[in-house]
Amino acid sequence: MPIGIAVPFLDLGAAYAELRGPLDEASARVLASGRFILGEEVEAFESEFARYCGARHCIGVANGLDALHLILRAYAIGAGDEVIVPSNTFIATWLAVTHAGARPVPVEPTPGTYNLDANRIEAAITPRTRAVIAVHLYGQCADMTAISDVCRRHSLRLIEDAAQAHGASWNTKCAGALANAAAFSFYPGKNLGAFGDGGAVTTSDSELAERVQVLGNYGSAIKYEHRYAGFNSRLDEMQAAFLRVKLRVLDTWNERRRRVAAKYVACLPTDVLQLPQVAGNGRPVWHLFVVRTANRSALQRFLADHGVQTLIHYPTPPHLQGAYSSMRYREGDFPIAESMHREVLSLPIGPHLTLEQIDTVVDACRAARFAGAVQ
Ligand SMILES: *Cc1c(COP(=O)(O)O)cnc(C)c1O
């Protein structure tokens, strides 16, 4: 019997409720300042987030897609070039390459971690390959040791898509400081989420940082002097002020996500659900908790009937999307990604899930097994 939504997938209202005082203060401060673009808040956030990641520079931009796109443009990667991307990712990773004028070349992931399989990269490299974009999918870092190694051997740029991995680490180094440059998204549902769109590039390459900054501000370092045909892609003062408040609780909130994940790992029925594997050198921040089952639609329906809201990340891989129909991919071209997209289901996880709600999810998954919704 339907009991309404007992466990929403993510409760962003609770995030505001917890930080209401400082967030209201931040918005009042920005409104009173009369400065809304490229002011003190953005500057302060950039230096705070660079320090947090362990990178020399951070440049605020309008969103995560732009962060990736501007990195590629700043490296002059474009027409005639190829960039290796994971076959299973949110489509933004591919679109950034396409918008830069280059060609995305998909490589399959490792089934357990869902991240780019370093052993498959070499076979996809051609004389036109310029870079690899490693996505830290679901909040777990890709194998940056092995991927960096391949990139070094072939003189390729390595770019992190860290849109789902604020605070995640690999060998104790933080996402955002694991490659030549990294792209972050501050879309509201991300681990570090704004109250609107936002993004950032982090890098320790000063030349790249300067170029990204200029490209995102109409190609101009000095007002009304335009060195490049740039873009308008800036983080605004209001979002930067909100992000400064939320950055202060990022570690605490990631820790809460880890507690939810630990409980799921300990209690979910592993004979019927495939749980995410954590690579030995990584410390995930659990942007999503993704389980896998061949009976996905039955499980999703059963959980919904028991008040547990779930989502699918993602139902269709990029190569089978209309956006890439001109590349003439067919079903079966990337079977590992395709089977993931058919079987993955994201359970509720977030910093505001109550113990009771965690139990509700666990109990519903166990009941699904007894009801035969998953086998
Ligand atoms: C969210 C996301 C992006 C894009 O970020 P936007 O801010 O929505 O443009 C890129 N890559 C991945 C893996 C994402 O999850």
Side-chain angles (χ1 to χ4, degrees), residues 62-68 88-94 96 133 135-138 161-166 183-188 190 196-200 287-288 313-314:
N63 54 63
L65 172 61
D66 282 7
L68 285 166
N88 72 313
T89 179
F90 179 55
I91 196 167
T93 318
W94 288 46
I133 303 181
V135 180
H136 305 320
L137 202 67
Y138 307 151
D161 180 339
Q164 304 189 356
H166 319 72
F184 286 92
S185 163
F186 304 124
Y187 180 82
K190 302 290 163 96
D197 276 313
H287 173 58
L288 298 170
H313 300 91
Y314 299 88

